[in-house]
Amino acid sequence: MRSYFLLLLILLFSSKIYAYPDSIRAATVPSGVPASFLNLRITNDSVSANDILNEQLVDMVKVDERDRKVPTPYTTHQGGVLGGWFIRMIGFYWQAVDRQRYKFVGTNRNGLSMPGEKDELTEHDINFTLVPHLNQYMNFVYRGRMAQTKRRQFRRSRPHDLTKPPYIPPTLQTAEIYDLHCELTPPKRMRDSVNALFYPCLHGYNLDKHQNFCDLKPSVGMYGVFVLDCNHSCHPEIHPYEWLWWLKLTAPEKTAGNFNKTWMLGFFKESSNRFILWSQSPRVGTISVPFIFKVSEQNSYLNFSKVVEGKFRPHGIRRMKNLPPQTNSFNFSDTTIRVLLNTGLNFPLHIHNESRTKTPALQWWLSDVQTDEANEWVWGYFNMVVSVKDGYTAKLESISLH
C-alpha cells in the first residue's frame, strides 16, 4: 500500500512537470494588430537595410534578471579589501549610475573591440560601441553623459565643450555622437564554443567574418548595469552586459521575400574579477521574444535550439520573481498548442524543440497571446527563464508556412 502511494505521488508530480498546456485563449484586440508586430512581417533584406527598423524590432524583446539592482555603488579591479579600497581612492573604479540594470538597443559603430591572444589580468572584454537611433536610448546616453560631468575625473581631463553633443539633449541628426560602450568578459570555459557558434570573442576574426552576423554594424540589444567607467574619464557604459540578443540577418535570412525571423539569444555571467558582487552565480533571467502568424498559416511553427550551454543551477529559478504559476520544461521534441479564437475556431501553434532537456533550470511559456476581431492574425510572446552558473545561448526561429 505504501509503495502504491509513493508511485501515485511520483506520477502526479511528473505529470505536473511534463504536462504541457494543450490550449490557450487569445485575447481579442478591437484596434487590430499593433504596428510593431506587423513590422515582424517585413522582409529581412529591408530590415537589414534600415537601422531604425532593425532597432525597433530588437527593442520588442523583453528581458529581466533576478537581481535588477547591484548591491554596491562602486566596484574596482579586485586586490583584496585594502587593495580595492586603495584603487578606488586613487580614482580608478566603476560607479553604478543608480545601481540598476537597464535594457539598451543600438547599432554597432564598426566591429568589436576585443583583446589579443592573452587576457589582460582577468579581463577579456568583448566591447560593442552602440549608436542608438530610438529616442529613449539616445536620452539614456545623454543621462549618462550628464552624470559624467559631475565626476572630478571628467573635470580634470581634457577640456570638453558642454554646449555641444553629447552634453546637450540629443536629436536623430546627432545620434552618432551618443554612442555607448557595452562590455563583457565572457566565461572563460565557454569561450571557444561561444566564439565558434554564437559571437566572436577570441582573437582572429570579427563580426564581418562570423556566421551569425557577416556584418560589422549589426543592431543588437543589451541588458546590464549602467555605469560610469572612472578608469577612463568616467564615460558611461553598460558593463557588464549579461543579456545579449539580435536578429540574425545573414545571406540565407535575406533571400528575396523571406520574412521569417531568427533570433539569437545569449545570457552570461561576467567572468573577470572586477564585478564579483555585481554578477554573482547563479545568473537567473527571463527573455520574451515576439512572434506573429496569419491564422491561415496552419503549418507555422516556432523552432527552439540551444547554441552553447553552460552549467545549469536549478535552485536559482525559485529566486526569480513574477514568473507565471505554470511554466513548462524543455523535455519535449514537438508540441502543439491550440490558440482559441473568438469565433470558436483555433490556430494550431506548433513548437519544435531541437534541444530536449529535463533540467528544471530552463523553462518556457507563452504570454500576451492575442488576435484581431476578424481572426486573421495571432501574435504574442515566447518566454524563457534560465538559471546558470556561467552562461546559456540559444536560437529561436519563427517560421510561417501555409
Side-chain angles (χ1 to χ4, degrees):
M1 186 68 171
R2 183 178 178 183
S3 299
Y4 174 79
F5 181 71
L6 289 173
L7 178 61
L8 182 61
L9 285 177
I10 291 171
L11 289 173
L12 288 172
F13 181 69
S14 299
S15 64
K16 183 176 181 180
I17 293 178
Y18 301 122
Y20 301 98
D22 61 0
S23 66
I24 186 172
R25 181 162 293 280
T28 302
V29 179
S31 58
V33 188
S36 57
F37 277 88
L38 286 176
N39 284 345
L40 290 168
R41 303 283 292 201
I42 295 175
T43 58
N44 293 327
D45 55 348
S46 297
V47 174
S48 179
N50 187 332
D51 291 342
I52 293 178
L53 174 59
N54 198 346
E55 290 177 30
Q56 288 171 338
L57 295 180
V58 170
D59 191 40
M60 292 180 70
V61 173
K62 304 173 186 178
V63 286
D64 198 3
E65 288 191 45
R66 168 180 62 91
D67 45 355
R68 298 176 184 172
K69 185 175 182 179
V70 296
T72 63
Y74 303 95
T75 190
T76 68
H77 293 274
Q78 300 301 311
V81 176
L82 292 179
W85 172 83
F86 178 75
I87 291 169
R88 180 183 159 197
M89 184 186 71
I90 61 176
F92 296 98
Y93 57 88
W94 289 266
Q95 177 185 352
V97 172
D98 60 4
R99 296 174 59 185
Q100 300 289 333
R101 288 179 164 84
Y102 288 94
K103 181 170 82 167
F104 187 78
V105 174
T107 297
N108 200 49
R109 183 178 292 282
N110 191 24
L112 295 178
S113 171
M114 65 179 78
E117 295 182 5
K118 294 183 179 181
D119 292 358
E120 301 171 6
L121 300 176
T122 63
E123 298 177 32
H124 190 92
D125 283 339
I126 309 305
N127 186 353
F128 289 82
T129 300
L130 299 185
V131 176
H133 298 91
L134 306 182
N135 284 335
Q136 66 267 39
Y137 299 116
M138 288 191 291
N139 287 322
F140 182 80
V141 177
Y142 172 60
R143 177 185 163 209
R145 289 296 185 179
M146 288 297 94
Q148 179 191 21
T149 62
K150 297 177 173 61
R151 308 308 303 170
R152 72 176 186 274
Q153 292 92 330
F154 173 80
R155 295 193 296 268
R156 292 175 179 175
S157 63
R158 61 182 175 82
H160 295 80
D161 188 344
L162 300 185
T163 67
K164 295 182 178 179
Y167 305 107
I168 60 174
T171 66
L172 191 56
Q173 289 69 37
T174 60
E176 290 290 324
I177 304 175
Y178 292 81
D179 59 10
L180 190 71
H181 288 184
C182 303
E183 303 184 34
L184 170 81
T185 291
K188 192 168 186 176
R189 189 181 67 84
M190 298 176 64
R191 277 181 214 157
D192 286 342
S193 298
V194 168
N195 181 69
L197 302 174
F198 187 66
Y199 82 138
C201 59
L202 294 176
H203 178 73
Y205 61 102
N206 213 298
L207 294 170
D208 57 331
K209 303 297 183 182
H210 197 278
Q211 61 189 0
N212 292 331
F213 292 97
C214 299
D215 181 7
L216 287 171
K217 302 179 180 181
S219 298
V220 299
M222 305 277 187
Y223 183 80
V225 188
F226 190 28
V227 305
L228 301 178
D229 182 355
C230 294
N231 305 284
H232 303 99
S233 76
C234 292
H235 65 252
E237 298 178 339
I238 296 290
H239 197 172
Y241 60 83
E242 290 158 327
W243 276 113
L244 165 66
W245 68 96
W246 68 93
L247 273 172
K248 186 181 178 189
L249 296 171
T250 59
E253 286 78 32
K254 292 191 293 184
T255 55
N258 182 18
F259 55 79
N260 294 326
K261 297 295 183 280
T262 297
W263 294 94
M264 305 301 298
L265 317 170
F267 188 44
F268 298 102
K269 177 185 179 299
E270 164 73 27
S271 68
S272 75
N273 69 356
R274 300 164 296 172
F275 302 93
I276 293 173
L277 294 178
W278 289 10
S279 189
Q280 299 183 51
S281 182
R283 300 312 306 151
V284 188
T286 61
I287 190 164
S288 305
V289 182
F291 65 84
I292 184 170
F293 296 111
K294 278 189 174 181
V295 172
S296 60
E297 297 167 345
Q298 296 280 301
N299 294 317
S300 301
Y301 64 97
L302 297 173
N303 187 61
F304 180 87
S305 57
K306 75 174 183 184
V307 179
V308 181
E309 179 180 285
K311 293 185 178 181
F312 290 116
R313 291 291 183 264
H315 68 277
I317 292 289
R318 65 176 178 267
R319 302 181 185 179
M320 190 73 205
K321 297 179 180 179
N322 301 320
L323 292 180
Q326 176 69 47
T327 59
N328 313 293
S329 84
F330 279 84
N331 188 29
F332 74 99
S333 296
D334 293 280
T335 190
T336 299
I337 298 176
R338 292 181 299 115
V339 179
L340 306 179
L341 308 176
N342 59 25
T343 56
L345 302 176
N346 67 78
F347 172 76
L349 178 54
H350 307 292
I351 302 175
H352 177 64
N353 174 29
E354 296 183 13
S355 308
R356 185 168 186 161
T357 178
K358 292 183 178 180
T359 179
L362 184 67
Q363 302 279 308
W364 69 273
W365 69 97
L366 301 177
S367 68
D368 302 308
V369 178
Q370 299 177 325
T371 186
D372 56 309
E373 285 189 326
N375 288 161
E376 294 180 351
W377 298 91
V378 168
W379 66 93
Y381 278 90
F382 179 91
N383 309 272
M384 178 182 76
V385 60
V386 61
S387 176
V388 285
K389 175 185 177 182
D390 37 21
Y392 183 81
T393 67
K395 179 171 70 174
L396 181 68
E397 300 167 276
S398 176
I399 311 295
S400 297
L401 296 172
H402 289 284

